[in-house]
Amino acid sequence: MQKCFLAKKGQVEQKWLLVDAQNAVLGRLAVKLAMILMGKTKPTYTPNVDVGDYVIVINADKIRVTGRKAEAKEYDYYTLYPGGHKYVSFAEMMAKKPEKVIQMAVRRMLPKNKIARDFLKKLKIYKGAEHEHQAQKPQKIELF
């Protein structure tokens, strides 16, 4: 009789991966990052256990979008004051916080539950080519 493997919380070995986002399309990059964070690229994937790897994204300011999204895409938020519904354009967000653009795209592709917060904590995004995780010896991977 065959047994089904289910990962347990302390048994999973998580690697550190390095992804260069230069000239990557935002949505396509976010899909692959979400899959790695959840652990769906591993044969030991278990839905209720965090089996995904840590991901470091560099060159977040060099991503691109297709079509007219660069002019038309907007991010909205609410300040919790009356009339406090604000909008920020994609170009303005890329100028101020390009890391947040990738983080929001990945967050929206993760499941809407408590474990998704753990997934998002494993995503480290940096504007330039430098990062502060050399001690973890990340493996560079090519997604495209």
Side-chain angles (χ1 to χ4, degrees):
M1 183 163 89
Q2 292 183 347
K3 290 190 174 185
C4 182
F5 175 79
L6 292 174
K8 308 243 181 343
K9 190 172 185 178
Q11 302 174 334
V12 181
E13 183 217 327
Q14 295 173 324
K15 298 182 287 189
W16 284 77
L17 305 174
L18 179 69
V19 176
D20 190 0
Q22 188 164 358
N23 292 326
V25 178
L26 176 62
R28 293 171 191 269
L29 176 69
V31 167
K32 298 206 177 185
L33 292 177
M35 297 292 270
I36 292 170
L37 290 170
M38 286 189 280
K40 286 197 166 190
T41 57
K42 293 182 171 185
T44 59
Y45 171 71
T46 307
N48 62 329
V49 179
D50 185 5
V51 296
D53 295 323
Y54 287 82
V55 180
I56 303 164
V57 180
I58 57 173
N59 293 322
D61 54 343
K62 295 182 176 74
I63 60 164
R64 61 187 179 92
V65 289
T66 58
R68 295 190 54 230
K69 291 186 210 78
E71 302 94 43
K73 190 167 181 59
E74 287 184 331
Y75 297 96
D76 67 331
Y77 63 97
Y78 187 63
T79 64
L80 300 179
Y81 284 97
H85 197 176
K86 307 279 185 177
Y87 297 95
V88 179
S89 69
F90 174 79
E92 189 178 337
M93 188 76 111
M94 282 299 290
K96 290 183 179 177
K97 300 177 191 170
E99 305 94 355
K100 188 145 180 149
V101 171
I102 295 176
Q103 181 193 9
M104 289 174 74
V106 172
R107 190 182 106 221
R108 292 170 181 174
M109 292 185 186
L110 291 173
K112 279 50 173 184
N113 56 20
K114 293 177 184 176
I115 200 168
R117 284 193 290 275
D118 295 335
F119 295 150
L120 213 52
K121 287 178 189 171
K122 297 186 307 180
L123 179 64
K124 316 292 183 190
I125 307 169
Y126 296 96
K127 191 185 298 191
E130 301 297 318
H131 64 89
E132 50 195 52
H133 299 283
Q134 274 85 16
Q136 282 76 25
K137 298 184 180 81
Q139 299 174 329
K140 186 168 170 101
I141 59 168
E142 293 291 328
L143 296 181
F144 305 103

